[in-house]
Amino acid sequence: MSKVTIAGDVNGTGVFTIAAPNGNTNRTLVLPDEAGTIDTLQRAGNVLQVVNFVTTDKGSVVAGVASVDTTLSPDIFKTITPVGNNSKFLVQVRWNGEATHGSQWNSGWNILRDGNRINSSGNNSWDSIQSPSLNYTSVDNDSTGEGMTTFVLDTTGSTSGISTTYRLAISNNQNITATIFTNRLFNASTANGAIGYEVWSSEMIITEIAG
């Protein structure tokens, strides 16, 4: 029969207590058959939780002239309630759709935390963390999709139990409006797209990391 030994440190004076919870069910803790050190969930760098938001809804939004941080339609956002204090948040976004010709050169994506930009180059219409992809250089407001994947690491910190909302937004830095179609193409005019035209999903993933 193997044995379990709890050994104190000869130089320490503290008392370490192993306490049972207020439960009525018998439990067994099985130790791994290898050497190691017991970790704590709140150690810096540990993943505390992962949440995500996926949408297959299709829609469009018009970003006005020199507009800042227009919310998409459908809205791509997620609210997370931190389980730790001073956590960091890795926010990853995957967007698919089509932008009207010209807006690929003159617009930019930002991720907002409770309405404020994170890790952006500034707060103007020409500042962003990512530009839309450019799949076709000629005028083709029809059936040429774009895609974008981006991420930010938010080190602002957190308070356990106080929710935070992250949102994808686009800014338009040109002298004409820009229409951004999400999960559908320009010419797929119906709510569910159209036969022969691609449709997609878009997603936001948030990882809370102990600070």
Side-chain angles (χ1 to χ4, degrees), residues 4 6 15-21 29 38:
V4 175
I6 298 177
V15 176
F16 292 80
T17 302
I18 299 176
L29 296 178
I38 295 176

Side-chain angles (χ1 to χ4, degrees), residues 15-53:
V15 176
F16 292 80
T17 302
I18 299 176
N22 181 14
N24 299 307
T25 303
N26 294 337
R27 306 290 187 187
T28 299
L29 296 178
V30 179
L31 300 175
D33 189 12
E34 59 184 60
T37 301
I38 295 176
D39 199 2
T40 61
L41 185 64
Q42 297 293 341
R43 180 179 61 81
N46 278 357
V47 172
L48 302 182
Q49 64 170 319
V50 180
V51 298
N52 77 314
F53 168 78

Side-chain angles (χ1 to χ4, degrees), residues 40-119:
T40 61
L41 185 64
Q42 297 293 341
R43 180 179 61 81
N46 278 357
V47 172
L48 302 182
Q49 64 170 319
V50 180
V51 298
N52 77 314
F53 168 78
V54 180
T55 180
T56 58
D57 291 345
K58 300 158 189 68
S60 63
V61 67
V62 176
V65 174
S67 60
V68 175
D69 298 338
T70 298
T71 298
L72 299 179
S73 176
D75 196 0
I76 299 176
F77 74 101
K78 183 64 179 178
T79 298
I80 185 171
T81 303
V83 298
N85 293 311
N86 300 315
S87 295
K88 300 176 182 178
F89 298 90
L90 177 62
V91 185
Q92 300 166 287
V93 175
R94 170 178 56 83
W95 171 87
N96 290 291
E98 186 174 3
T100 49
H101 180 72
S103 58
Q104 301 96 329
W105 292 287
N106 296 292
S107 58
W109 298 103
N110 278 290
I111 294 176
L112 312 180
R113 171 182 171 149
D114 294 332
N116 299 308
R117 291 181 176 182
I118 306 168
N119 299 348

Side-chain angles (χ1 to χ4, degrees), residues 170-193:
I170 193 160
S171 296
N172 176 31
N173 184 42
Q174 57 182 350
N175 58 6
I176 59 174
T177 61
T179 303
I180 309 300
F181 298 87
T182 296
N183 292 337
R184 53 161 283 196
L185 295 168
F186 182 98
N187 211 22
S189 56
T190 65
N192 294 315

